[in-house]
Amino acid sequence: MERTLVLIKPDGVERKLMGEIISIYEKKGFEISAMKLARPTVEVAKEHYYEHRNKVFYNELVDYITGGYVCALIIEGENVIDAVRKINGETDPLKAEAGSIRGRFALSKAENCVHSSDSKESAEREIKIWFPEMPQL
Ligand code: CMP
């Protein structure tokens, strides 16, 4: 079964959108197989955003994600990686479909409520970062 890593980011947690966002994935029929609230360390944040290390917004990204609690989820189901990215909507909330999570709730490219893995390789890499205690596939 395919699986993905989702983060409900600090803006989503602070605005009390956790329940509503999790419910969207559940109602679509996906299985939440692990979940935790965590205040990310700078090390975890840097590892998670490693591929963006040379981007101009990298420091802003690390500061933001370490500035509050995140809710990390492992979600399982058929084609869950692509499906969850569609449900989340595009990174820029102005371009995200109106019915998507970012289209409905996000404020900016930096504070965009959710993150999800973009490939099977990223999903396994990110699951290892956020859930080191979980068995690896
Ligand atoms: P995420 O899916 O977590 O992966 C990379 C993140 O970089 C992305 O969501 C956005 O939150 C963030 N991001 C992308 N573009 C910008 C930008 N121009 N300014 C600030 N943050 C950005």
Side-chain angles (χ1 to χ4, degrees):
M1 187 53 75
E2 191 170 293
R3 60 184 190 167
T4 192
L5 185 282
V6 167
L7 297 179
I8 303 176
K9 298 185 187 182
D11 60 306
V13 174
E14 274 156 28
R15 291 165 61 211
K16 308 207 183 302
L17 295 170
M18 257 192 315
E20 190 151 354
I21 291 172
I22 292 167
S23 169
I24 293 169
Y25 302 129
E26 286 189 310
K27 284 180 183 159
K28 183 75 176 175
F30 291 123
E31 208 67 49
I32 312 289
S33 63
M35 177 161 78
K36 69 167 68 150
L37 265 177
R39 178 91 191 232
T41 61
V42 171
E43 290 69 35
V44 162
K46 285 187 166 172
E47 222 181 322
H48 177 78
Y49 281 129
Y50 183 75
E51 67 176 300
H52 297 293
R53 66 196 174 283
N54 295 321
K55 303 257 173 71
V56 287
F57 55 82
Y58 178 68
N59 288 335
E60 185 193 341
L61 206 50
V62 172
D63 284 349
Y64 160 63
I65 203 91
T66 56
Y69 280 82
V70 304
C71 177
L73 305 149
I74 300 176
I75 306 184
E76 298 186 358
E78 206 175 319
N79 299 317
V80 68
I81 293 171
D82 289 344
V84 165
R85 288 181 71 82
K86 181 88 184 161
I87 291 167
N88 289 352
E90 284 196 43
T91 303
D92 182 349
L94 290 177
K95 293 191 186 134
E97 275 186 49
S100 65
I101 290 173
R102 287 164 171 169
R104 290 173 65 192
F105 304 127
L107 303 170
S108 68
K109 276 190 252 183
E111 301 195 7
N112 60 1
C113 280
V114 281
H115 160 86
S116 70
S117 315
D118 62 7
S119 66
K120 286 185 186 179
E121 293 68 34
S122 307
E124 291 314 305
R125 191 183 77 82
E126 293 170 5
I127 286 169
K128 212 192 272 181
I129 295 170
W130 293 95
F131 294 92
E133 69 280 14
M134 292 291 285
Q136 312 297 310
L137 287 190

